[in-house]
Amino acid sequence: LEQVRSKLWHRSVGGILRYEGDHYRGGNPWILTTLWFCGIELALGNYAEAREGFQWTLSKATSLGMLAEQVHRDSGRPFWVIPLGWSHAMFLLFVREVLDRKAESMIWNH
């Protein structure tokens, strides 16, 4: 996890890249990969890290609450396909996992 965070966390706008050297659409962080990472952090009991990525995701939603495929590497704004079903599905999976683990207070209330 530390290697993923150190190598794939986008330094300027946050979020997780798909892989090192990803150049698709310029190389942007993805909502899907960030939420996947949050799910792993949650499963390991790393609530602060899970919360950080989840809050990042919430901050990247459009004014209508839509989640994009990516977040633009320079502006930090939702980018490319909007809305993207996979991003919304991973969002729901993360929320379901929080509820199943009864970790709501560790994720929502900080």
Side-chain angles (χ1 to χ4, degrees), residues 45-53 106-107:
N46 300 333
Y47 298 122
E49 292 82 357
R51 182 176 50 254
E52 175 188 14
M106 300 302 296
I107 301 299

Side-chain angles (χ1 to χ4, degrees), residues 44-81:
L44 293 174
N46 300 333
Y47 298 122
E49 292 82 357
R51 182 176 50 254
E52 175 188 14
F54 184 67
Q55 289 176 341
W56 177 87
T57 298
L58 293 175
S59 76
K60 302 307 178 187
T62 69
S63 62
L64 296 175
M66 301 291 177
L67 296 174
E69 179 181 60
Q70 304 170 43
V71 171
H72 195 276
R73 68 195 169 283
D74 297 323
S75 71
R77 296 180 51 130
F79 185 68
W80 203 232
V81 178

